[in-house]
Amino acid sequence: MTPALNSTAFQLCEPERHSLAPPETASTLGFSVVVAPHPDDETLGCGGVLALLAAAGKQPRVIVMTDGSRSHPHSRTHPPATLAAVREQETLAALAELGLHARAATFLRFGDCALPGRDTAEFHDAVTRLRALLATLYPDTLFVPWRRDPHCDHQATWHLMRAALDGDRPRPRWLEYPVWAWMQPEGDVAPRTDEGHAWRLDISPVIARKQQALSRHASQLGKIVHDDPTGFTLEPSVLAHFAMPWELFLEPADV
């Protein structure tokens, strides 16, 4: 029987124990691509590193996998197509706050909560599409969601990107960023210390820009859609995890 893991075995417990790399480290990442499951994940998990990369002239790119159209499923003022368009514009506004041009974003517009599962024809089609896109980018560093981040689209994004890189040599540096795992820092979804190296990047010079970028995702902050009380809202307790003057990345040993 595997012994129970204590809190020190989880990467997101007491995160400030992990080494803190200076802001200048961002410039060593080279040409970087952030893959976001939804519009806003790029800012939540990687807004600081995107701003630092842009400031260093590295011109990062962002791939947004889904259209985010299911955050308010009962809204009449913002049906799915309308909400998807709003969220796309919010992402462009957020990226502008971080110093990126609109052309830095690629929206793949898969359905929200509908990324294809493994061993399906749709999965293989999506992998083919991603391979073609990556072949035009040749990133030095690829940021993807933490593999067990507790949301179906986050986990599906990880599997799709992993398959898209299968067999590629040389591979880009692969860094995973947590979003929803912060709310469950211990347990099945949390990264363990035996799964790779966790480190933090100091984003203090651009933390104000990250917070301003987050404010651009107004639909997710309860500021636009007012007719769906069941709709999604980024609560202050969640946003607190992304107000730190650092961002945490996981560098796994198996990718």
Side-chain angles (χ1 to χ4, degrees), residues 59-104:
Q59 300 180 341
R61 291 283 298 271
V62 172
I63 299 172
V64 182
M65 297 291 289
T66 75
D67 60 14
S69 62
R70 289 191 60 182
S71 66
H72 295 76
H74 303 297
S75 174
R76 293 187 177 183
T77 63
H78 289 75
T82 300
L83 186 56
V86 166
R87 296 199 66 183
E88 201 161 297
Q89 290 305 308
E90 288 176 343
T91 300
L92 293 175
L95 294 180
E97 295 287 355
L98 298 173
L100 279 67
H101 296 290
R103 62 180 178 272

Side-chain angles (χ1 to χ4, degrees), residues 70-75 225-233 235:
R70 289 191 60 182
S71 66
H72 295 76
H74 303 297
S75 174
V225 185
H226 303 295
D227 66 338
D228 183 1
T230 68
F232 174 80
T233 301
E235 300 292 345

